[in-house]
């Protein structure tokens, strides 16, 4: 098995699981030290080393996978990528999750999102099937999203967005959010951004994006829907305490995040660290 072609996508799992508790409010769950990461890298050899119970659960997933993934020369390789992600989660999540639960999360995610991704056949694949890499992406994202409200899977494209985020500039609305039960909770609008100027407040709940309910969406999918080309607009439905739900249309813009803010109060200098920037380049 040639591991290296799969390395970029597998690193997305490492980033989502290993360091997100420090840098992103949208991801959390695992904390891997350098030595642990090295051991993890050496363990990514498919199903080797897994107990019989885990193998049986992977067989259960593979049955659904083969029914869903169109047959290509990458189908076995992509299945092995799912296995590697499964091994990382079962070994390094902050609490023990049964193999049965992890696989059930993945399978349920494939079934729950059928109308969203499986039946859209713009890429020419047969109806009812999808490319293996898409099946694995959906399955891993669903598996991680069930762990806690903050976990999620990052595709290579989403990782590139993260690299932009941590450089201090990205296209969006200018809000810090966390996942709630069926909504996104606004932690804080970023000062002098489209969301801030539109009147978005800390504590607001976003329940719909462009009229679509986000109740069953993962954090990753929700954030992806809010982002877009600067100058384009997005309509969000806001629930606010003591206020009837209302729609708010916000025009996306380049968001420049000041990493550190400061102010003088009564002769004391107050410094607020807003975000960590450019850390990924130092880590990899």
């Amino acid at each position: 098995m040639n591991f290296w072609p799969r390395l970029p996508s597998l690193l997305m799992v490492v980033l989502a699981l290993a360091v997100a508790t420090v840098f992103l409010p949208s991801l959390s769950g695992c904390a891997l030290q350098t030595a642990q990461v090295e051991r993890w890298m050496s363990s990514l050899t498919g199903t080797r080393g897994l107990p019989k119970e885990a193998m049986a659960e992977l067989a259960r997933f593979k049955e659904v996978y083969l029914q869903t993934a169109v047959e290509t020369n990458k189908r076995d390789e992509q299945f092995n990528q799912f296995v590697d992600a499964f091994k990382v989660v079962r070994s390094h999540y902050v609490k023990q999750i049964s193999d049965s639960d992890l696989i059930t999360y993945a399978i349920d995610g494939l079934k729950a999102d059928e109308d969203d991704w499986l039946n859209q056949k713009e890429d020419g694949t047969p109806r009812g099937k999808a490319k293996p890499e898409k099946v694995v992406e959906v399955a891993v994202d669903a598996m991680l999203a069930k762990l806690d409200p903050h976990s999620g899977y990052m595709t290579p494209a989403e990782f590139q967005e993260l690299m932009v985020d941590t450089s201090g500039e990205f296209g969006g609305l200018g809000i810090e959010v966390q996942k709630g039960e069926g909504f996104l909770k606004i932690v804080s609008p970023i000062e002098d951004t489209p969301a801030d100027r539109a009147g978005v407040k800390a504590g607001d709940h976003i329940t719909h994006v462009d009229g679509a309910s986000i109740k069953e969406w993962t954090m990753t999918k929700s954030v992806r829907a809010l982002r877009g080309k600067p100058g384009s607009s997005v309509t969000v439905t806001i629930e606010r305490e003591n206020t009837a739900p209302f729609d708010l249309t916000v025009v996306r813009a380049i968001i420049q995040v000041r990493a550190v803010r400061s102010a003088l109060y009564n002769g004391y200098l107050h410094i607020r660290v807003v975000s960590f920037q450019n850390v990924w380049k130092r880590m990899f």
Side-chain angles (χ1 to χ4, degrees):
M1 180 181 65
N2 188 357
F3 163 73
W4 294 109
R6 296 188 288 118
L7 181 58
S9 292
L10 290 171
L11 282 177
M12 302 310 101
V13 180
V14 175
L15 291 171
L17 294 174
V19 296
T21 53
V22 179
F23 301 110
L24 285 182
S26 61
L27 301 170
S28 69
C30 295
L32 302 182
Q33 303 300 321
T34 302
Q36 289 177 304
V37 173
E38 291 176 353
R39 288 195 298 271
W40 172 82
M41 293 287 282
S42 66
S43 72
L44 295 181
T45 53
T47 57
R48 189 183 73 180
L50 288 174
K52 291 182 179 180
E53 295 79 6
M55 295 286 286
E57 291 301 325
L58 283 171
R60 183 163 67 95
F61 173 80
K62 191 169 187 178
E63 183 178 352
V64 178
Y65 172 76
L66 293 178
Q67 293 172 355
T68 308
V70 66
E71 187 172 356
T72 71
N73 58 2
K74 290 186 177 181
R75 190 161 69 165
D76 289 343
E77 176 185 315
Q78 290 296 316
F79 175 75
N80 285 333
Q81 179 167 315
F82 175 85
V83 173
D84 288 340
F86 170 76
K87 291 174 72 174
V88 172
V89 176
R90 73 186 301 274
S91 299
H92 297 296
Y93 189 59
V94 293
K95 63 181 180 181
Q96 186 174 1
I97 306 292
S98 72
D99 296 330
S100 176
D101 283 346
L102 289 175
I103 295 302
T104 297
Y105 297 157
I107 292 175
D108 287 351
L110 292 178
K111 294 178 178 179
D113 285 345
E114 283 184 350
D115 291 338
D116 184 38
W117 64 276
L118 192 58
N119 294 325
Q120 296 181 4
K121 295 295 115 185
E122 296 179 359
D123 59 2
T125 56
R127 186 174 181 83
K129 288 183 176 289
K131 292 182 178 180
E133 52 267 38
K134 184 62 178 179
V135 177
V136 169
E137 175 189 327
V138 173
V140 173
D141 192 27
M143 180 172 64
L144 294 179
K146 282 289 188 178
L147 297 177
D148 58 66
H150 312 293
S151 295
Y153 172 69
M154 299 169 63
T155 66
E158 290 160 356
F159 175 68
Q160 290 303 317
E161 289 185 11
L162 173 65
M163 295 294 288
V164 173
D165 288 359
T166 56
S167 71
E169 181 177 288
F170 60 93
L173 307 184
I175 51 177
E176 299 174 19
V177 299
Q178 66 183 32
K179 193 74 170 69
E181 291 295 328
F183 58 83
L184 287 180
K185 180 179 180 180
I186 307 296
V187 176
S188 175
I190 300 172
E191 294 178 24
D192 197 29
T193 62
D196 185 38
R197 292 190 290 270
V200 174
K201 298 180 179 180
D204 285 350
H205 293 171
I206 296 177
T207 61
H208 295 70
V209 176
D210 285 332
S213 172
I214 67 171
K215 184 176 181 179
E216 302 298 330
W217 291 8
T218 63
M219 183 70 167
T220 302
K221 182 176 180 179
S222 300
V223 171
R224 187 187 301 135
L226 291 174
R227 290 186 177 174
K229 185 177 179 180
S232 63
S233 63
V234 60
T235 299
V236 295
T237 302
I238 301 285
E239 287 186 355
R240 180 176 296 168
E241 189 174 1
N242 300 323
T243 303
F246 61 94
D247 289 341
L248 188 65
T249 299
V250 185
V251 178
R252 300 180 179 97
I254 293 295
I255 308 299
Q256 294 181 326
V257 180
R258 291 172 54 192
V260 179
R261 298 180 184 274
S262 61
L264 280 172
Y265 295 101
N266 299 321
Y268 290 93
L269 176 64
H270 292 247
I271 298 177
R272 177 189 176 198
V273 179
V274 178
S275 64
F276 294 90
Q277 298 177 1
N278 293 326
V279 293
W280 304 106
K281 294 179 181 178
R282 294 196 294 269
M283 293 184 64
F284 291 94

